[in-house]
Amino acid sequence: MAPLSEVQSSKPLGLCFIEYTRNTCLNLRTYQTIVLILTFFAYASYHATRKTTSIVKSVLDPKTSELGFSAWPRSFLLRAVEDEQRNSGLESGWVPFDSKAGTAMLGVIDVAFLSVYAFGMYFTGHLGDRLDLRILLTVGMLGTGVFTSLFGAGYWLNIHSFYYYLVVQMLAGMFQSTGWPSVVAVVGNWFGKRKRGLIMGIWNAHTSVGNISGSLIASVLLKYGWGWSFAVPGLLIGLVGLTVFLFLPVSPEAVGVDRDDDLLKSCEKSDTTEPLLGEETEVREKAVGFLEAWRIPGVAPFALCLFFCKLVAYTFLYWLPFYISQTAIDGQYLSDSTAGTLSTLFDVGGVVGGILAGHISDHLDARAITAASFMYCAIPALLLYRVYGSVSLFWNITLMFISGMFVNGPYALITTAVSADLGTHSSLHGNSRALATVTAIIDGTGSIGAAIGPLLTGYISAKSWNGVFTMLMIAALIAGLLLTRLVMAEVAAKIRARRSQTATNVPHSSSVGLEI
C-alpha cells in the first residue's frame, strides 16, 4: 500500500471531488463498476474511430463499389447513403483516390495503419508498465481524436495529397496502439482471476459496440460531407479521454483500496503519514523488460496462437459481407445491404463465444484447453459454413453464428483474461508491472495476423473461395496446435490434483496450467 500522501496525489480529481461532495469514501465494488464502464466506453470509442475509414472509403473512391474484389471492401452501410453522396456532389470521388490507383492507395493506407498499430503496441505496452496508465490512455485517446479529425480536415482544407492522409493515418495508428494494453492492464488490476474470464468475456463486447456505433455515426454524417464522419468520432473519443483522465482509477493501490477488508486506506483518519505496511512499502517493483516478458511461460505460444486467431477473425470482419453477396443462398443472391446486415450475426456469435469461453475457462481453470478446443471446433464449423451455408438462409445464419462463436471465442479469451493472467504470472514473484507489456506483446503479434489475413484473401478470393476457407481452416488448426504444450500441462495438473485429492480425501484446487 502506498503512503497516504502518494495515494491522495494519484487519485483522479473527479473521484476526489465525488468523495468530497458525498463526504464519504467509495467502496471496492463502486470502483470496480467505474473501471468496467469507463474502460468499456474508452475502447469502444477507439473502435468507433477505427471504423470510419471503411465507411468513407467508397465516397473517396466510388469505383470500389464496382470492383469484383478489393483487399479492403467497403461497409454495407454505404448503400443507405448513396443518394446523399450523389446530392453532395461527391459521386466523382476525392482526388487522389478517384484515380485508377485510388483503390490501391486506400489499401496502402489501411495496411500502413494496421502495421503501425501492431508494432506500436509493443512500444506502448512497454511504456504502460512504466507510466501512469491513466495518463497514457488519456494521451492515446486525445491523440487518436486529433489525427482522426485531421484526416477529416482534409475535406474542408481541400487537401489532395496522398501522403498527407497516409501520414495522418499512420500517426492515428500509433496513438490507437495505446488503447488495448492500457484497458486490459487496468481491468486486470481490479479483478482477480476467479471470475476474470466471465467478466472480461462480457466486457469484451465493447469491440462490437464500437464498430456498430462508429459505422452508424459515420454513415449518418456522410450527407453533410465526409469530413464530419471523421471529425465527430474524433471529438467523441477526445471527450471520453478527458472523462478517463478525471475518473479512471488505475489500480486499488492507486486510490488506497484494500482488497481484503474493502476499506479505503486513503480515507482512514490517522495522525501519522507512515506507510501502513511498514518496510514493505519501500520496495518498488521494477517494470518487466520486453524480452523478459516474452520469456514468461505461456506468452509466446498464446501470442503466436492469437496471430492465427486474428487472421481468421479479421478476414471475416473485412470480407464476410462481400462473400455473402457473391454467394447464391437457396438459389438467390442477396443485396449488399442485406448481406451486410446478415454478416453482423457473425459478431453476435462472437460476443456469445467470448462470454462462453470466459465462463468455461473460469469453471475449468484451464485457459489453454478452452482456447484450443474452440479453435479445433472452428475448423468443422468453417467447413460446414462453406459447404452448406448456401443451402438456405436458415442454415447460413445458423452456421455463421456458430462459426463466429468458435472463431471469436478464443480471440476474446486470449486478448483479455489470458493476457491479464500472464501479466500477473507466478514467475514474476508478485511483480504486477508486466500487465501492459504482456498484453501488448500478445495483441500486437495478433494484429500482424489481422493485417495479413484480409490482404491474402483479396488475392486468393479472385481465384477461389475454397482456397480462402482452406487458408482459414489451416490457420485455425495451427492456432490450436501452438497451445499443445500448455494444454498437456493443464491436463497433467488436473490429473495430479485429482490423484492428490483422492489420496488425501481433502478438497484440493488444481494448479493453473499457465503457470508452468
Side-chain angles (χ1 to χ4, degrees):
M1 186 72 65
L4 182 64
S5 59
E6 292 185 11
V7 169
Q8 293 291 352
S9 63
S10 61
K11 183 178 294 187
L13 293 177
L15 295 181
C16 292
F17 178 76
I18 291 175
E19 291 183 346
Y20 175 78
T21 55
R22 294 179 56 185
N23 196 29
T24 185
C25 299
L26 302 178
N27 57 34
L28 176 62
R29 189 55 57 86
T30 301
Y31 276 119
Q32 289 177 324
T33 302
I34 292 173
V35 166
L36 284 178
I37 293 175
L38 284 182
T39 53
F40 182 95
F41 284 104
Y43 205 67
S45 65
Y46 272 106
H47 264 265
T49 58
R50 198 179 302 174
K51 188 69 175 178
T52 54
T53 51
S54 65
I55 299 298
V56 180
K57 192 170 294 181
S58 72
V59 176
L60 301 177
D61 178 22
K63 295 188 301 299
T64 55
S65 62
E66 303 169 5
L67 297 178
F69 74 95
S70 157
W72 307 95
R74 67 185 185 125
S75 167
F76 73 93
L77 288 171
L78 288 174
R79 285 287 183 177
V81 296
E82 281 183 345
D83 291 337
E84 300 294 344
Q85 176 183 332
R86 295 190 184 97
N87 293 337
S88 61
L90 288 174
E91 68 274 11
S92 61
W94 186 268
V95 178
F97 304 111
D98 61 345
S99 65
K100 292 182 179 180
T103 304
M105 290 181 180
L106 291 171
V108 168
I109 288 177
D110 284 331
V111 173
F113 171 86
L114 285 172
S115 299
V116 172
Y117 172 77
F119 288 103
M121 198 174 293
Y122 293 127
F123 177 71
T124 55
H126 188 69
L127 287 179
D129 288 321
R130 289 158 175 78
L131 302 177
D132 188 331
L133 286 170
R134 179 168 58 93
I135 303 299
L136 180 63
L137 190 56
T138 300
V139 171
M141 297 180 75
L142 292 177
T144 298
V146 167
F147 287 102
T148 300
S149 299
L150 283 176
F151 196 103
Y155 172 76
W156 295 291
L157 298 178
N158 202 29
I159 297 175
H160 298 282
S161 170
F162 165 72
Y163 293 102
Y164 169 82
Y165 296 104
L166 177 64
V167 172
V168 166
Q169 195 70 342
M170 290 175 69
L171 291 173
M174 182 183 70
F175 282 100
Q176 283 261 358
S177 66
T178 62
W180 192 243
S182 299
V183 295
V184 172
V186 171
V187 174
N189 286 338
W190 280 96
F191 293 91
K193 188 182 176 184
R194 189 172 63 89
K195 292 289 185 180
R196 183 179 284 167
L198 177 60
I199 292 172
M200 285 189 157
I202 298 172
W203 171 77
N204 196 58
H206 51 48
T207 299
S208 298
V209 172
N211 288 338
I212 294 172
S213 60
S215 298
L216 293 175
I217 292 172
S219 298
V220 169
L221 293 173
L222 270 178
K223 62 184 178 181
Y224 302 107
W226 63 262
W228 290 107
S229 297
F230 288 92
V232 172
L235 176 62
L236 290 177
I237 193 174
L239 293 175
V240 176
L242 292 176
T243 305
V244 165
F245 175 76
L246 292 174
F247 294 100
L248 181 65
V250 172
S251 67
E253 294 74 20
V255 293
V257 173
D258 191 314
R259 296 176 183 269
D260 297 327
D261 56 16
D262 196 18
L263 295 177
L264 293 178
K265 299 300 184 181
S266 61
C267 297
E268 290 182 349
K269 303 300 181 181
S270 176
D271 295 330
T272 179
T273 59
E274 289 297 318
L276 295 171
L277 298 181
E279 295 182 354
E280 289 185 0
T281 57
E282 299 298 323
V283 178
R284 292 189 178 273
E285 294 178 342
K286 182 180 178 181
V288 174
F290 181 78
L291 294 179
E292 184 181 354
W294 270 104
R295 291 193 290 267
I296 296 174
V299 168
F302 270 115
L304 294 174
C305 174
L306 188 63
F307 175 95
F308 292 98
C309 282
K310 293 189 76 168
L311 186 152
V312 178
Y314 270 66
T315 297
F316 271 90
L317 174 67
Y318 282 105
W319 279 98
L320 186 56
F322 180 77
Y323 170 74
I324 294 174
S325 67
Q326 297 297 309
T327 302
I329 300 176
D330 197 15
Q332 297 181 346
Y333 289 92
L334 303 179
S335 67
D336 285 354
S337 178
T338 303
T341 303
L342 192 64
S343 70
T344 59
L345 293 174
F346 182 85
D347 291 323
V348 176
V351 173
V352 175
I355 296 173
L356 188 61
H359 176 68
I360 293 174
S361 68
D362 282 341
H363 181 72
L364 297 179
D365 194 16
R367 308 290 195 210
I369 292 175
T370 304
S373 298
F374 269 67
M375 290 312 302
Y376 290 138
C377 290
I379 298 173
L382 292 172
L383 178 61
L384 290 173
Y385 180 66
R386 172 57 181 162
V387 175
Y388 296 104
S390 60
V391 172
S392 68
L393 190 61
F394 170 79
W395 283 112
N396 190 285
I397 292 174
T398 301
L399 294 173
M400 185 197 312
F401 181 90
I402 294 173
S403 297
M405 184 175 65
F406 286 126
V407 169
N408 284 342
Y411 165 27
L413 180 65
I414 294 172
T415 54
T416 54
V418 169
S419 296
D421 291 347
L422 293 174
T424 55
H425 193 270
S426 61
S427 65
L428 298 172
H429 306 295
N431 187 349
S432 62
R433 297 185 64 187
L435 267 172
T437 301
V438 168
T439 301
I441 287 174
I442 292 176
D443 199 51
T445 304
S447 295
I448 298 174
I452 293 175
L455 193 60
L456 291 177
T457 301
Y459 297 102
I460 299 175
S461 63
K463 298 180 179 179
S464 170
W465 279 106
N466 287 332
V468 173
F469 276 84
T470 299
M471 176 189 73
L472 297 179
M473 288 186 286
I474 292 175
L477 176 62
I478 295 174
L481 291 176
L482 285 168
L483 298 180
T484 300
R485 188 174 68 89
L486 296 179
V487 169
M488 293 176 63
E490 287 182 347
V491 171
K494 298 293 181 185
I495 294 175
R496 288 196 302 269
R498 179 62 61 87
R499 288 176 178 174
S500 176
Q501 184 177 1
T502 302
T504 60
N505 199 26
V506 175
H508 182 77
S509 61
S510 64
S511 302
V512 180
L514 294 175
E515 300 179 358
I516 58 174

